[in-house]
Amino acid sequence: MDYIAHVRKLENGDWDEPQLLETHLKGTAELAAKFAADFDSAEWGYALGMSHDNGKGKVEWQSYIRDKSGFGYDEEASSETAPGRLDHSSPGAKLAEEVFGGMGRFLSYCIAGHHAGLPDWGGSAGSLEYRLQKARTEGIAEEFKTALAGLCPKALPWKISSQGLDVSLWIRMLFSCLIDADRLDTEGYMEPKKGKLREGYLSITELHRRFNLYMEKKTEKLLETADGAVYQARQRVLADCRAAAEAEPGFFSLTVPTGVGKTLSSMAFALKHAEKYEKERIIYVIPYTSIIEQNAEVFRGIFGPDEILEHHANLDDDGTTLRSRLATENWDAPVIVTTNVQFFESLFAAKTSRCRKLHNIANSVVILDEAQLVSPDFLEPILETMRLLVEHYRVSFVICTATQPAFEKQKGFPQFPGLPEGSIREIIQDVPGLYKNLERVKVEFPKEKSAAADWRELAGELSEYDQVLCIVSDRKSCRELHALMPRETYHLSALMCARHRSDVIAEIKDKLKKREAARVISTQLVEAGVDIDFPVVYRAMAGLDSIAQAAGRCNREGKLNAEGKWGRVVIFNGVRKAPAGILRKASETAARLLDQGLDNPIDQGVFASYFSELYWKVNLLDKEGVMKLLKPEPPHLEIQFRSAAELVNIIDDKQQRPILVRYGEGGELIDVLKRAKKSGAGFERKTLRKLQ
């Protein structure tokens, strides 16, 4: 074949010999097959790789590329993403359907979308239906058609259900294999030095060895400094995690009180489980970027900086290397630390950049930290996807929290679309005993259940303590109460930029460590994963999970117990109700359970019934109708990939606008931006990332 696919420009400015299209197709097919083997779809991956660029086999497309580049290859001309570009993916998609028959439809979505993203079946000029109707395959050379004829996969990898998300997830996983294979094969030819940077990660076995050495040293240090009960609890949790790692892959829960080393113990489970069952990576999913930075730094200290990929929107480019930036493209590092937003939105994505990494979720251990914060608005499609990842993609999930959500199907709640009953196995052998041995606080309730707090009276009460944390449910309340406190009181809320919050939290920790005065008025942002320890915590009425998380910031290390004292947690009625939506429903559910006689709102045994009632009150656990959009409709396997992806926003930012704040280096960066705009110069990516 003499059809040119790539011509490489060398560093000295010369042009290298062309890579034939046939070579690129085979290289992509072999990589895609290797990736898809993790979910028993190797022959599908190979057929997809051999099919994806067959539209380039048309003489008119080759002439077009030569005309655009003058040499035979032009990356921009190949992308199809701008007006006037010649379409090669639509003919390739149509050819796959012509050669493979009904089986071809699974592949045609991927082929049609391998530059612009997975399309909807119908509804616009960019839909798969429209493109297949308009595409022509007559000009594609017979060699390409003949090469495909013997590649039709003989069967589906499992009995794929036409209900739910089984088909759409499998297509998206195949799409991920294709995108990564296509980009890697092209990179290997065009920029081989990048490929070298992607190599050389440590094995899971070596990471496990390093972790065990670290834990041995940490245990010795804890024995010298920690409270006896806390030390024993941490050792017990660690031992249970290591023992449970021997169990067959699937769903696990890790239910432990705050302050007993959940982060490291869950990693101990993940490493041993991954080594035993030959999992390829560990993905640590965390709700807030503030916790990510904290945990990623711990992991880097254990495993080395090159083994950890920290992936979230607020990551500063100054803290990354080219190697880590390459790893964010496809998650091929052994340990990934990322956010709920990045993980769950990617599972429903349509864009090539977001889907590329998905196949590397297969055959991994996924740790969901603070799992109670998974968005109820998308709980049905999320739980369905998690179930499929376990059943067909060799994923093990660890659901971590002190306040376990009700993710399984519930008796008396038949319409709840949860995981199969009994599918989640608890790692800790005696959860009630663990919690009882670590009782560190006493919870007090308002004397008058319906009476709202008076801000001035509450401020006076809080001012009597040298160290106290007060958590309210909204930013306005935080502002109002803080204004009535002594001058040196700290304020924490989302009204502060992320860097400012991090700096203030670090200052508060330092004050607490030195036993200096530290009074803090905060919104709920401190409730999950922020490692602070106050002797007294006040909390405005909220959901039981929020109350328990707030209590986890009180006497966290058990130091007061050693003095024969308890931490004090005081619940009060805020001046205004919790914000409308899930927070208000949670607060109302907690209030109702307390009215019915619940005397200990942080007892771990109450959370199953609490979350069951809360999810029932939420009612819409798929508020955007994602399940319907992604269910394959007959007779054409109609799936609306792009429409679903646009609706899955874990954080609803439709009403938000980004602002730039003159904090720290922000002022200097804003001035750089203003000068660039005034001069007409373009904005540098590095500057924009720093501002973000």
Side-chain angles (χ1 to χ4, degrees):
M1 297 180 187
D2 59 359
Y3 296 99
I4 299 173
H6 302 291
V7 176
R8 178 174 57 176
K9 191 171 183 178
L10 303 177
E11 289 182 357
N12 61 9
D14 295 331
W15 289 82
D16 200 3
E17 289 296 316
Q19 180 193 30
L20 298 184
L21 176 55
E22 178 187 24
T23 306
H24 174 59
L25 293 176
K26 285 185 176 178
T28 302
E30 289 169 358
L31 280 173
K34 176 185 174 184
F35 299 152
D38 277 341
F39 49 98
D40 302 318
S41 302
E43 62 176 346
W44 287 89
Y46 192 86
L48 187 54
M50 289 296 292
S51 306
H52 81 286
D53 266 353
N54 278 328
K56 292 181 180 178
K58 299 176 77 168
V59 173
E60 62 178 311
W61 197 91
Q62 292 296 325
S63 299
Y64 165 74
I65 292 298
R66 289 189 178 92
D67 290 344
K68 293 292 277 187
S69 68
F71 292 95
Y73 180 76
D74 182 273
E75 184 66 38
E76 288 299 312
S78 298
S79 71
E80 304 185 324
T81 56
R85 302 272 163 82
L86 190 61
D87 178 10
H88 71 271
S89 57
S90 297
K94 186 163 188 174
L95 180 62
E97 295 205 1
E98 290 176 354
V99 173
F100 298 146
M103 294 286 204
R105 178 59 51 83
F106 297 116
L107 305 183
S108 65
Y109 274 108
C110 303
I111 297 168
H114 78 275
H115 283 294
L118 282 168
D120 284 348
W121 165 254
S124 71
S127 68
L128 182 61
E129 180 183 31
Y130 178 88
R131 292 170 65 179
L132 290 175
Q133 288 172 352
K134 296 293 183 182
R136 296 290 178 267
T137 61
E138 291 83 359
I140 297 177
E142 287 300 319
E143 293 97 318
F144 294 100
K145 298 178 182 180
T146 303
L148 288 186
L151 295 180
C152 181
K154 297 178 179 59
L156 296 171
W158 57 84
K159 189 177 180 180
I160 292 182
S161 172
S162 60
Q163 304 298 312
L165 305 181
D166 202 359
V167 173
S168 63
L169 180 59
W170 181 57
I171 291 175
R172 194 180 286 104
M173 280 290 194
L174 287 172
F175 181 63
S176 171
C177 294
L178 171 63
I179 298 304
D180 199 22
D182 184 24
R183 305 303 190 260
L184 288 175
D185 185 75
T186 301
E187 178 184 280
Y189 181 75
M190 304 291 284
E191 300 177 275
K193 288 184 178 179
K194 280 188 178 181
K196 295 294 182 185
L197 287 173
R198 296 183 186 274
E199 301 172 356
Y201 286 111
L202 297 177
S203 67
I204 292 292
T205 298
E206 174 58 20
L207 294 177
H208 195 189
R209 186 190 70 81
R210 291 188 179 193
F211 179 83
N212 288 338
L213 287 174
Y214 173 86
M215 291 304 292
E216 286 177 15
K217 294 177 182 177
K218 185 174 180 64
T219 299
E220 292 174 5
K221 187 175 180 182
L222 279 173
L223 188 57
E224 298 170 1
T225 60
D227 169 75
V230 173
Y231 171 80
Q232 290 175 10
R234 286 176 176 170
Q235 293 304 106
R236 181 174 165 192
V237 168
L238 181 61
D240 283 356
C241 283
R242 284 172 166 161
E246 299 280 349
E248 291 290 321
F251 287 106
F252 298 87
S253 57
L254 178 57
T255 310
V256 292
T258 56
V260 295
K262 170 166 56 72
T263 299
L264 292 175
S265 293
S266 60
M267 181 58 74
F269 170 93
L271 286 166
K272 188 171 182 180
H273 190 72
E275 184 175 14
K276 179 175 177 64
Y277 292 102
E278 299 182 340
K279 306 294 183 188
E280 294 176 13
R281 62 189 44 81
I282 295 158
I283 304 173
Y284 212 105
V285 184
I286 302 175
Y288 302 127
T289 54
S290 58
I291 315 175
I292 282 189
E293 292 161 359
Q294 174 182 292
N295 288 1
E297 194 58 36
V298 170
F299 294 149
R300 276 192 282 268
I302 299 172
F303 304 120
D306 290 339
E307 309 307 314
I308 308 300
L309 172 62
E310 185 181 348
H311 190 190
H312 54 86
N314 289 342
L315 193 62
D316 190 336
D317 276 358
D318 279 355
T320 66
T321 62
L322 177 56
R323 177 182 170 93
S324 66
R325 290 195 293 275
L326 289 173
T328 62
E329 296 174 351
N330 64 353
W331 281 10
D332 58 357
V335 179
I336 316 292
V337 187
T338 190
T339 59
N340 283 0
V341 172
Q342 182 68 237
F343 184 78
F344 288 119
E345 287 188 1
S346 294
L347 286 170
F348 300 96
K351 291 182 179 179
T352 57
S353 58
R354 299 206 78 175
C355 287
R356 180 176 175 180
K357 60 182 172 286
L358 291 183
H359 73 88
N360 276 329
I361 295 175
N363 199 30
S364 66
V365 182
V366 178
I367 302 170
L368 294 184
D369 194 22
E370 304 296 352
Q372 78 280 359
L373 294 174
V374 172
S375 172
D377 290 338
F378 301 101
L379 194 58
E380 181 176 1
I382 283 174
L383 292 180
E384 169 75 357
T385 301
M386 288 170 59
R387 180 185 67 79
L388 292 169
L389 287 172
V390 167
E391 289 184 6
H392 302 305
Y393 299 89
R394 298 176 184 152
V395 174
S396 283
F397 277 98
V398 183
I399 302 167
C400 290
T401 178
T403 55
Q404 279 291 342
F407 280 174
E408 291 184 351
K409 292 185 180 295
Q410 303 295 311
K411 291 177 181 176
F413 189 8
Q415 69 272 37
F416 178 63
L419 300 172
E421 191 174 351
S423 60
I424 303 176
R425 291 160 288 171
E426 175 57 50
I427 289 173
I428 302 303
Q429 294 182 20
D430 180 11
V431 173
L434 179 65
Y435 275 71
K436 184 172 180 56
N437 290 338
L438 284 177
E439 287 182 348
R440 291 166 283 183
V441 302
K442 296 292 186 183
V443 182
E444 303 171 20
F445 301 104
K447 294 184 174 112
E448 297 182 40
K449 293 182 179 179
S450 59
D454 178 275
W455 278 159
R456 289 192 178 278
E457 288 183 10
L458 182 59
E461 192 174 329
L462 294 170
S463 300
E464 294 177 4
Y465 298 100
D466 287 334
Q467 294 185 339
V468 62
L469 167 66
C470 180
I471 304 172
V472 294
S473 297
D474 62 280
R475 291 176 291 183
K476 186 174 182 181
S477 294
C478 190
R479 245 185 2 257
E480 290 174 350
L481 182 55
H482 179 263
L484 298 171
M485 293 292 293
R487 190 171 180 179
E488 67 274 10
T489 302
Y490 292 98
H491 166 277
L492 281 171
S493 80
L495 290 172
M496 304 158 68
C497 67
R499 180 69 59 83
H500 189 189
R501 289 198 304 270
S502 296
D503 289 346
V504 170
I505 289 171
E507 189 174 332
I508 292 168
K509 287 182 177 181
D510 186 58
K511 293 269 189 181
L512 292 170
K513 185 177 181 181
K514 293 177 180 177
R515 300 198 173 190
E516 297 176 0
R519 301 182 186 94
V520 181
I521 311 298
S522 176
T523 59
Q524 60 266 33
L525 66 86
V526 298
E527 286 181 347
V530 179
D531 186 8
I532 51 179
D533 187 359
F534 284 85
V536 180
V537 172
Y538 279 62
R539 182 48 165 111
M541 178 57 73
L544 293 187
D545 53 327
S546 291
I547 292 173
Q549 291 292 341
R553 311 309 124 193
C554 183
N555 195 20
R556 184 180 179 88
E557 297 295 331
K559 293 175 182 176
L560 292 176
N561 295 67
E563 301 172 11
K565 302 176 184 177
W566 293 80
R568 186 180 182 217
V569 177
V570 181
I571 309 301
F572 63 93
N573 293 313
V575 169
R576 55 185 58 84
K577 292 181 179 180
I582 184 64
L583 292 179
R584 184 171 299 176
K585 287 184 172 69
S587 179
E588 292 170 349
T589 302
R592 194 189 72 78
L593 292 173
L594 290 170
D595 286 343
Q596 290 179 345
L598 177 65
D599 60 354
N600 184 3
I602 60 175
D603 178 4
Q604 57 84 29
V606 308
F607 290 105
S609 58
Y610 162 74
F611 277 109
S612 294
E613 182 171 335
L614 177 60
Y615 293 153
W616 176 80
K617 282 183 176 176
V618 171
N619 194 21
L620 291 176
L621 299 175
D622 179 18
K623 75 168 188 176
E624 300 291 355
V626 172
M627 296 290 292
K628 186 174 184 349
L629 289 169
L630 294 178
K631 178 186 174 183
E633 293 293 337
H636 304 297
L637 200 72
E638 301 170 21
I639 303 173
Q640 306 299 104
F641 284 105
R642 188 160 300 182
S643 294
E646 290 171 354
L647 291 171
V648 179
N649 296 294
I650 301 300
I651 297 176
D652 186 358
D653 58 2
K654 293 182 182 132
Q655 304 301 318
Q656 297 183 17
R657 294 290 182 273
I659 61 171
L660 307 180
V661 181
R662 287 188 176 275
Y663 180 82
E665 63 178 340
E668 180 183 340
L669 291 168
I670 290 170
D671 291 338
V672 169
L673 208 61
K674 285 185 171 181
R675 288 195 296 270
K677 183 177 181 181
K678 188 175 181 179
S679 67
F683 301 142
E684 291 187 2
R685 179 181 181 275
K686 184 177 180 180
T687 301
L688 296 175
R689 289 289 296 171
K690 277 179 167 290
L691 283 164
Q692 185 177 19

